[in-house]
Amino acid sequence: MATITLPRVVPSPAEDAAALLKAFQGWGTDEQAVISILAHRDATQRKQIALEYEHEYSESLIQRLQSELTGDLERAVYHWMLGPAERQAAMAHAATECVQERYAVVVEIACATNSSAELVSVKQAYHVLYRRSLEEDVAARATGNLRSLLLALVSTYRYDGDDNVDAELARSEAKIVHEAVRNSAGAAGGRHDHEELIRVLGTRSKAQLRATFSCFKDQDEHRRSVTKALPRGADDPTGYLRALRAAVRCVADPTKYFAKVLRNATREAAGTDEDSLTRVVVLHAEKDDMGAICGAFQKRASCTLQQAIAKETSGDYSSFLLALLGS
Amino acid sequence: MATITLPRVVPSPAEDAAALLKAFQGWGTDEQAVISILAHRDATQRKQIALEYEHEYSESLIQRLQSELTGDLERAVYHWMLGPAERQAAMAHAATECVQERYAVVVEIACATNSSAELVSVKQAYHVLYRRSLEEDVAARATGNLRSLLLALVSTYRYDGDDNVDAELARSEAKIVHEAVRNSAGAAGGRHDHEELIRVLGTRSKAQLRATFSCFKDQDEHRRSVTKALPRGADDPTGYLRALRAAVRCVADPTKYFAKVLRNATREAAGTDEDSLTRVVVLHAEKDDMGAICGAFQKRASCTLQQAIAKETSGDYSSFLLALLGS
């Protein structure tokens, strides 16, 4: 269930564009007016407003928003205004600039909720925006096992169906995962390649991979899940083990994965991670899975996601996120 | 320029379907009637005939053709009746069954004339036909450097434009190609990985790669092209070096590459290679590049492609190929 809410009677794009212009004019920007409009329009409506605004006032709405807003609110509204493919392409592009720290963005786009066709749309948008491929930027900026893993994940055009799971294959490939878990420390240090594991993760359908993970647990002497068995990679300077664990978790249970990202992002002790918070909320607020992510968050945290955001963030940025979450 | 020719007045799909049924009936099949219809209809027309035939006579035209025809003619007509994406998916699937010998089919589909969007269509058709991905079949059936290369080539969604060639990058990546050429013997034996070379070939746009190949020649002390510098791999049991050379040639000059495939396929001494002959003619007869391929063939051979085919093949199979080539 998506969390954004639309007004019962939606103003025309021309009315919204005029109201936005009004919010930009005079002393300071009326951020609340901007939020009250844009946080309550769906992707098609936002696109129409942007077209109408550009047509009527001969300037780009997105550029005007960027000049009127600042900080976390500006970044959040900017991403919110892009279409889903462009938004993910922009996020992926920024992440490739420092992929060793921001591998999670690439992993999520490649493995979490996009269908294979949606992933192609993101890569297509990347071509249009940057006149190069996501693959070449990932390949040129990551190294070692991290490069092999990320490149395999973003390149592949997986089979999307869940109608062709091969139980025998799952059993034999679960052994590959076990073997890789055993030599993970070496893989972090670059002494082991994880070629077979990366081939499996990078080519099999998600349904097949889930069957493999399930066999892994059955075969494990301590009945650990792959997620539990994989090292957390806290001391892995290459980022590979953390990216690997993120990929497995994105495939195994994306809802739980995103709920955990949000829990980490709103953890008081570590300081709020606005980038991750914005990314997950903006990407999912109008997708079917946001409701479930909120549910999974609340189940493990001592409060609702809305309460956590209200506590950890402030001002217009906070209002914007809360509006996207239906408050 | 495509080579197939259409009649000035094209019969309706219903008339064609009826004429085909007539050709199937009675004692033996009238192969010449089948050829005179199907070799002179474009992809859309063939599709309409198949739909009309199935609707009118409650059987699949393709299956009926397969039961009426035999040998090389049957295989050629079967592939001719598929749409371009399905045809290439079927060819790729057959090739993955013995990828060490038939790597060229995979390399051509990935690197020669398909745009990135067309390659995605082939992979999509593969999903529909086989309920699995081309990537997983290539990855599961090839090994070592051959696997790394083929997987990189079929997976990637390259930037298609030629508007973003980076000359500095071409110079630095030409050095990577030089380095790889130097240790090619080791790569065939599995002692060297060609990781950097495969990254470059698997991610850069074709325009960028052509610039890199051009720099390679400028930097080479003997002014050899990459194609000339790469070992032919005649004694490479893994198939990797031959696949590598095919990939470079497909990117550098697909017309010349296909003309060479046809020259090898029609070489008297080695025996005719009907599979390759059918593949290239059926794939290109209604594409813009077939005329140029015929031209390149004639330039290097002592005869036209039509003459070579007439000499090396016989019967209805020969007539069919010649009809596709406009004779």
Side-chain angles (χ1 to χ4, degrees):
Chain A
M1 203 186 61
T3 52
I4 64 159
T5 56
L6 307 187
R8 207 163 303 166
V9 182
V10 180
S12 72
E15 287 168 324
D16 279 338
L20 285 168
L21 184 71
K22 189 157 168 262
F24 299 151
Q25 288 168 334
W27 281 95
T29 309
D30 182 352
E31 285 89 356
Q32 285 302 319
V34 172
I35 294 169
S36 73
I37 299 168
L38 294 178
H40 299 285
R41 301 291 182 274
D42 66 25
T44 316
Q45 292 162 346
R46 297 196 300 278
K47 202 170 170 186
Q48 284 170 337
I49 295 170
L51 286 171
E52 184 66 33
Y53 185 95
E54 181 145 10
H55 177 254
E56 201 62 39
Y57 310 117
S58 307
E59 64 172 0
S60 150
L61 175 58
I62 294 188
Q63 281 173 16
R64 181 74 191 250
L65 284 164
Q66 288 186 286
S67 77
E68 294 288 336
L69 308 174
T70 56
D72 294 320
L73 178 66
E74 178 206 331
R75 282 187 289 276
V77 171
Y78 168 73
H79 281 121
W80 181 242
M81 289 302 293
L82 299 176
E86 290 74 27
R87 181 189 299 150
Q88 293 182 78
M91 288 176 172
H93 185 253
T96 59
E97 304 277 351
C98 48
V99 72
Q100 217 157 310
E101 287 80 45
R102 307 202 53 204
Y103 57 82
V105 180
V106 177
V107 169
E108 288 166 15
I109 289 170
C111 310
T113 49
N114 285 315
S115 67
S116 294
E118 286 166 341
L119 178 57
V120 171
S121 307
V122 173
K123 296 200 274 187
Q124 223 160 12
Y126 201 99
H127 286 195
V128 173
L129 290 171
Y130 310 108
R131 298 191 302 151
R132 42 200 295 122
S133 66
L134 175 56
E135 281 91 337
E136 63 192 310
D137 284 348
V138 165
R141 288 167 192 168
T143 53
N145 280 332
L146 181 67
R147 168 159 96 188
S148 306
L149 175 69
L150 294 182
L151 190 54
L153 298 178
V154 295
S155 300
T156 197
Y157 186 76
R158 277 177 215 284
Y159 179 61
D160 264 341
D162 49 10
D163 56 343
N164 195 21
V165 172
D166 180 333
E168 187 45 54
L169 186 69
R171 273 190 292 276
S172 74
E173 295 193 335
K175 295 201 179 83
I176 293 176
V177 184
H178 271 288
E179 170 72 25
V181 166
R182 273 193 296 276
N183 65 29
S184 283
R191 292 187 308 280
H192 271 104
D193 69 28
H194 265 179
E195 200 188 329
E196 284 297 310
L197 175 65
I198 291 171
R199 168 185 65 85
V200 171
L201 287 177
T203 61
R204 299 302 183 191
S205 71
K206 289 180 191 169
Q208 180 69 39
L209 287 175
R210 286 186 203 115
T212 301
F213 297 164
S214 161
C215 287
F216 176 96
K217 197 171 174 180
D218 293 343
Q219 291 170 3
D220 190 73
E221 52 174 339
H222 309 296
R223 304 271 301 162
R224 294 169 305 175
S225 66
V226 194
T227 310
K228 291 262 182 285
L230 278 171
R232 286 175 178 263
D235 54 351
D236 167 20
T238 69
Y240 167 67
L241 287 180
R242 277 166 290 149
L244 174 63
R245 201 159 165 272
V248 168
R249 291 171 61 219
C250 278
V251 171
D253 191 339
T255 302
K256 210 164 143 189
Y257 168 85
F258 285 118
K260 184 67 185 288
V261 171
L262 291 171
R263 287 215 312 285
N264 288 340
T266 53
R267 199 154 276 175
E268 220 174 344
T272 314
D273 172 0
E274 285 85 2
D275 275 354
S276 303
L277 191 54
T278 302
R279 181 174 83 244
V280 178
V281 173
V282 166
L283 276 176
H284 296 270
E286 55 192 334
K287 288 185 81 165
D288 282 345
D289 58 356
M290 192 71 225
I293 295 172
C294 290
F297 181 95
Q298 195 178 348
K299 213 169 137 188
R300 297 291 301 273
S302 52
C303 60
T304 66
L305 176 59
Q306 286 83 342
Q307 289 167 335
I309 289 176
K311 194 165 157 225
E312 291 294 319
T313 64
S314 62
D316 299 318
Y317 172 61
S318 190
S319 317
F320 180 63
L321 292 188
L322 291 173
L324 294 186
L325 291 170
S327 301
Chain B
M1 203 187 62
T3 52
I4 63 159
T5 56
L6 308 187
R8 207 162 303 165
V9 181
V10 180
S12 72
E15 288 168 324
D16 279 339
L20 285 168
L21 185 71
K22 189 156 168 261
F24 299 150
Q25 286 168 336
W27 282 96
T29 309
D30 183 351
E31 284 88 356
Q32 284 303 320
V34 172
I35 294 169
S36 72
I37 298 168
L38 294 178
H40 299 285
R41 301 293 183 273
D42 67 23
T44 317
Q45 292 162 345
R46 297 195 301 277
K47 203 171 168 183
Q48 285 171 336
I49 296 171
L51 285 172
E52 184 66 33
Y53 185 95
E54 181 145 9
H55 178 255
E56 202 61 41
Y57 309 118
S58 307
E59 64 172 0
S60 149
L61 175 58
I62 294 188
Q63 281 173 14
R64 182 74 190 248
L65 284 164
Q66 287 185 288
S67 77
E68 294 288 335
L69 307 174
T70 56
D72 294 321
L73 178 66
E74 178 206 332
R75 281 186 290 276
V77 171
Y78 168 73
H79 281 121
W80 180 242
M81 289 301 293
L82 298 177
E86 290 73 28
R87 181 189 298 150
Q88 293 181 79
M91 289 176 171
H93 185 253
T96 59
E97 304 276 352
C98 47
V99 73
Q100 217 158 306
E101 288 79 46
R102 308 204 51 206
Y103 58 82
V105 181
V106 177
V107 169
E108 289 166 15
I109 289 170
C111 310
T113 50
N114 285 315
S115 67
S116 293
E118 286 166 341
L119 177 56
V120 171
S121 305
V122 174
K123 296 200 274 186
Q124 222 160 12
Y126 201 99
H127 285 195
V128 173
L129 290 170
Y130 309 109
R131 298 190 304 151
R132 40 199 300 120
S133 68
L134 175 56
E135 281 91 338
E136 62 192 312
D137 284 347
V138 166
R141 287 166 193 170
T143 53
N145 278 332
L146 181 66
R147 169 160 95 187
S148 305
L149 176 68
L150 295 182
L151 190 54
L153 298 177
V154 295
S155 299
T156 197
Y157 186 76
R158 278 177 214 283
Y159 179 60
D160 264 338
D162 50 11
D163 56 344
N164 195 21
V165 173
D166 180 335
E168 187 45 54
L169 187 68
R171 274 190 293 277
S172 74
E173 294 192 336
K175 295 202 179 85
I176 293 176
V177 184
H178 271 288
E179 170 70 26
V181 166
R182 273 194 296 277
N183 65 29
S184 282
R191 291 186 308 278
H192 271 106
D193 68 30
H194 264 180
E195 198 188 330
E196 283 298 309
L197 176 65
I198 292 172
R199 167 185 65 86
V200 171
L201 288 177
T203 61
R204 298 302 183 192
S205 71
K206 288 180 192 168
Q208 180 69 40
L209 286 175
R210 285 186 203 113
T212 301
F213 297 163
S214 163
C215 286
F216 176 97
K217 196 171 175 180
D218 294 343
Q219 292 169 4
D220 190 73
E221 53 175 339
H222 310 294
R223 304 271 303 160
R224 295 169 303 176
S225 66
V226 193
T227 310
K228 290 262 183 285
L230 277 172
R232 287 176 178 263
D235 54 352
D236 167 19
T238 70
Y240 167 67
L241 286 179
R242 277 167 287 149
L244 173 63
R245 202 159 165 272
V248 168
R249 293 171 59 219
C250 279
V251 171
D253 191 339
T255 301
K256 211 165 142 187
Y257 168 86
F258 285 118
K260 184 67 186 286
V261 171
L262 290 171
R263 289 217 310 288
N264 288 342
T266 53
R267 197 154 278 173
E268 219 173 344
T272 314
D273 173 359
E274 286 85 1
D275 275 352
S276 302
L277 191 54
T278 302
R279 181 174 83 244
V280 179
V281 174
V282 166
L283 275 177
H284 297 271
E286 54 190 336
K287 288 185 83 165
D288 281 345
D289 58 356
M290 192 72 225
I293 294 172
C294 290
F297 181 97
Q298 196 178 350
K299 213 169 136 189
R300 296 293 300 275
S302 51
C303 60
T304 65
L305 176 58
Q306 287 82 343
Q307 288 166 333
I309 289 177
K311 194 166 157 223
E312 290 295 318
T313 63
S314 63
D316 300 316
Y317 172 62
S318 190
S319 318
F320 181 63
L321 292 188
L322 291 172
L324 294 187
L325 291 169
S327 301

